[in-house]
Amino acid sequence: MAVRAVRGAVQLERDEAGHMDEQVGALLTAVLERNSLSADDLISIWFTATPDLHSDFPAAAARKLGIVDVPLICAQELSVEGAMPRVVRLLAHVESDRPRAEISHVYLGAAAALRKDIAQ
């Protein structure tokens, strides 16, 4: 079994904890489904949030989905002028038999504009 990295992002409409839980939960669910993964395949997940998001930790959404025994960490994204606001990104390390070229990176909604080269 190989270790693979999966990227993803979602733009939130507003900075509210419930909305963040919903959107980050949808992102994480999509990453798992599109890559035929289960929570047991997760090694760790890094979450970043743009500086304008401070209502909750993105990792809290993963815990609410039942991902409780996987190391999670949150960090603040760089504050770059002109960057897309209210974005949560993730980098998940997973165990998968899929070749690297078949990993599906997930960019939901407006966040698809961030990585048109790999968004699927």
Side-chain angles (χ1 to χ4, degrees):
M1 185 86 49
V3 174
R4 300 288 182 223
V6 185
R7 292 283 318 268
V10 63
Q11 184 183 38
L12 278 59
E13 294 175 15
R14 58 195 174 279
D15 183 24
E16 294 176 1
H19 181 61
M20 182 179 291
D21 285 346
E22 176 185 294
Q23 295 300 304
V24 174
L27 174 61
L28 189 49
T29 298
V31 164
L32 294 173
E33 289 177 355
R34 293 183 194 180
N35 290 287
S36 301
L37 298 168
S38 71
D40 288 338
D41 299 317
L42 295 170
I43 297 169
S44 65
I45 305 174
W46 281 81
F47 291 96
T48 65
T50 51
D52 51 1
L53 294 174
H54 45 77
S55 62
D56 202 359
F57 295 101
R63 299 289 184 224
K64 290 176 183 170
L65 287 177
I67 299 171
V68 296
D69 61 349
V70 174
L72 308 175
I73 193 165
C74 297
Q76 188 175 74
E77 194 71 37
L78 294 172
S79 180
V80 176
E81 189 166 332
M84 185 179 286
R86 301 177 317 281
V87 175
V88 174
R89 292 172 173 86
L90 69 76
L91 174 63
H93 300 97
V94 302
E95 292 180 329
S96 175
D97 287 326
R98 284 184 180 219
R100 187 177 299 161
E102 292 180 19
I103 294 296
S104 181
H105 305 282
V106 180
Y107 290 78
L108 299 180
L114 293 171
R115 290 298 305 262
K116 293 178 183 176
D117 58 327
I118 64 172
Q120 299 171 348

